[in-house]
Amino acid sequence: MATPAAVRIAERELLLYRRIWRENVIGAFVQPFLYLVGVGVGVGSLIDDGGDRAAILGETSYFAFYATALLATTTMFNTSQEALWPTMDGFRWSNAFRGMIGTPLEPRDLATAFLLTFGGRALVTSGGVACVLALFPSTRSLGLFGAVPAAVLCGLAFAMPIAAWTGSRDVDNTFPAILRFVVMPMFLFGGAFYPVEQLPRALEVIAWFTPLWHAIELCRGLVLGGVDTGSAVGHVSVLVSYIAAGWLACTIVFDRRLRP
Amino acid sequence: MPNRNLGPIFVTVTSMREGVITATGLVKSFGGLVAVGGIDFTVMPGEAFGFLGPNGAGKTSTMRMIGCVSPPTTGDLQLFGLDPRHDGRTIRARLGVVPQMDQLDNELTVVENLLIYARYFDISRREARSRATELLEFVQLSERANSKVEPLSGGQKRRVSIARSLINDPDVLILDEPTTGLDPQARHVLWDRLYQLKEEGRTLVLTTHYMDEAEQLCDRLVVMDGGRIVAEGSPQSLIATYATREVLELRFGRGRNADHVADAAEVGERVEELPDRLLVYTTDGEGSLATLRNRNIVPDSALVRRSSLEDVFLRLTGRTLVD
Ligand SMILES: Nc1ncnc2c1ncn2[C@@H]1O[C@H](COP(=O)(O)OP(=O)(O)OP(=O)(O)O)[C@@H](O)[C@H]1O
Ligand SMILES: [Mg+2]
């Protein structure tokens, strides 16, 4: 009857989430919808009428190209923020995580529980985007069912390393910089708005190492078709490596933070 | 029920003779700073054991080592005959911890705090509900069960912390400054609850820098200063050893106390000079005062009181406990 420790920790998150689920779920639809109408439809019509589109995007409309990336980018933004301030609260402000390890739980259990809680949040976020994409014929595809788990991996690939960073901080003054100088550039240069081949070679190579590029390629390929098994496995492996490294960093950092 | 009934029998039997907690040469340092500088103590089952000391004495560092959330730098520590280095989980399952700073989930309600904490011990939800109800009654917070923790008063939060620490029916309760920052009435409510826990046979380990708290609650205590134990015993024996039966407090007014140290020394066993008063240690305070008056030495005010742990502390460290 023993329930795994990480699940019991996640139960706390569920209790907290029950208080905000309505806003959160509604937000998960509304935010990508606005982005999609604003950028996808607006900019899309401008580009799709232009001359060189076919040379760069092939058969894909700009709308579909951009919309599929939103699965990964929206999830990235949301879980990254979750891993910053709300996580800091448990370590520093309410000290709830400190209370936790006075029980049989260990810092490592908390790191594992983060896989569940951030994964859950990523599921809601990417599920919301997928529902919005299902509204439009060009992105309505069975591939959405594969793209949602891919986006969840993307969310965790950001949340876990960032949570380790958060756990090592005494104050939150670096948090906006994480969003501005780590997350935001990936959004701009990670292949959401145009294929990374359009970038100067050096930036393109850098993009290959970011989790976001792999997640976008994976989501886009699954929804619009055109990702072969070999590259899909490659993308998943990179994302899983980021998650594994993040988890490992969390176990070390949390132990130092909570058991000085 | 965790362990209370199921615990290995031999542990219970041996711990009747040996300590529930034994520390030998226990050291905790943070980088270059030595917070606990090699202490030895034994806590017997069912006793209320106190750590009395000023700010920075190393009380919290010691409590955290006992709570198995801070590995000792060197030295040996055992709880229930187990070593925290290897059996932390097992030991913590039998401990209740009330930390110096409340570590409650402010966003959750009072009862949710207890329920979720019970889950950390893998207590079933049904069992947790019934225990939570009982415990909230015990700390007299039943009517606040469904309010959030955030707006509660300091004393109420403290009581939530105590209720929460009891959710696993612990054998040993560790309380780090349970009443610091509370008003006198709230303190008395807490003392009453703690006294009841002690009567139930639970082992209490507590820290405080209030000597009245130590005198009220502790069967035995150690006085800590600068990471070391400077004295050990029951409150009465410490007072008997390090102080006299009575203390005569004399005030001669600003700047004139020092002039009378020699006079005071003649009528008592020992004199301590504080900025605002002289403390004359004597078996008979009234007698000493009368002798002084006969010699035409008349203080602005004089007060006779019984010796307390405060005097013990002053004697041992040359400093007052609460500054
Ligand atoms: N995590 C830590 N890192 C570095 N130094 C620490 C840490 N925890 C405690 N210390 C230092 O160790 C010393 C003892 O602190 P401790 O908190 O154990 O004292 P205390 O007796 O509980 O004091 P107080 O009455 O103020 O609670 C202090 O000098 C403190 O600054
Ligand atoms: Mg302390």
Side-chain angles (χ1 to χ4, degrees), chain B residues 59-60 100 176-177:
Chain B
K59 303 183 297 294
T60 297
Q100 182 165 0
D176 197 356
E177 303 201 14

mmCIF file of all heavy atoms in Angstrom, chain B residues 59-60 100 176-177, ligand 2:
data_model
loop_
_atom_site.group_PDB
_atom_site.id
_atom_site.type_symbol
_atom_site.label_atom_id
_atom_site.label_comp_id
_atom_site.label_asym_id
_atom_site.label_seq_id
_atom_site.Cartn_x
_atom_site.Cartn_y
_atom_site.Cartn_z
ATOM 1 N N LYS B 59 22.132 26.037 19.423
ATOM 2 C CA LYS B 59 20.954 25.225 19.766
ATOM 3 C C LYS B 59 20.288 24.664 18.507
ATOM 4 O O LYS B 59 20.041 23.470 18.405
ATOM 5 C CB LYS B 59 19.927 26.070 20.547
ATOM 6 C CG LYS B 59 20.479 26.701 21.815
ATOM 7 C CD LYS B 59 19.404 27.447 22.581
ATOM 8 C CE LYS B 59 18.796 28.639 21.851
ATOM 9 N NZ LYS B 59 19.720 29.765 21.617
ATOM 10 N N THR B 60 19.993 25.560 17.554
ATOM 11 C CA THR B 60 19.313 25.103 16.341
ATOM 12 C C THR B 60 20.179 24.118 15.566
ATOM 13 O O THR B 60 19.691 23.092 15.076
ATOM 14 C CB THR B 60 18.939 26.308 15.458
ATOM 15 O OG1 THR B 60 18.021 27.122 16.180
ATOM 16 C CG2 THR B 60 18.300 25.861 14.154
ATOM 17 N N GLN B 100 12.343 26.228 14.611
ATOM 18 C CA GLN B 100 12.364 27.583 15.190
ATOM 19 C C GLN B 100 11.452 28.520 14.402
ATOM 20 O O GLN B 100 10.694 29.286 14.976
ATOM 21 C CB GLN B 100 13.799 28.104 15.191
ATOM 22 C CG GLN B 100 13.936 29.485 15.804
ATOM 23 C CD GLN B 100 15.378 29.835 16.118
ATOM 24 O OE1 GLN B 100 16.295 29.050 15.881
ATOM 25 N NE2 GLN B 100 15.595 31.015 16.663
ATOM 26 N N ASP B 176 12.170 23.612 18.778
ATOM 27 C CA ASP B 176 13.199 24.653 18.772
ATOM 28 C C ASP B 176 12.558 25.995 19.097
ATOM 29 O O ASP B 176 11.841 26.559 18.277
ATOM 30 C CB ASP B 176 13.885 24.684 17.398
ATOM 31 C CG ASP B 176 15.215 25.436 17.424
ATOM 32 O OD1 ASP B 176 15.562 25.989 18.493
ATOM 33 O OD2 ASP B 176 15.893 25.471 16.385
ATOM 34 N N GLU B 177 12.803 26.473 20.306
ATOM 35 C CA GLU B 177 12.214 27.725 20.800
ATOM 36 C C GLU B 177 10.708 27.788 20.551
ATOM 37 O O GLU B 177 10.218 28.643 19.814
ATOM 38 C CB GLU B 177 12.911 28.928 20.151
ATOM 39 C CG GLU B 177 14.408 28.898 20.425
ATOM 40 C CD GLU B 177 15.070 30.257 20.276
ATOM 41 O OE1 GLU B 177 14.339 31.266 20.213
ATOM 42 O OE2 GLU B 177 16.305 30.301 20.246
HETATM 43 MG MG MG C 2 18.068 28.762 17.052
#
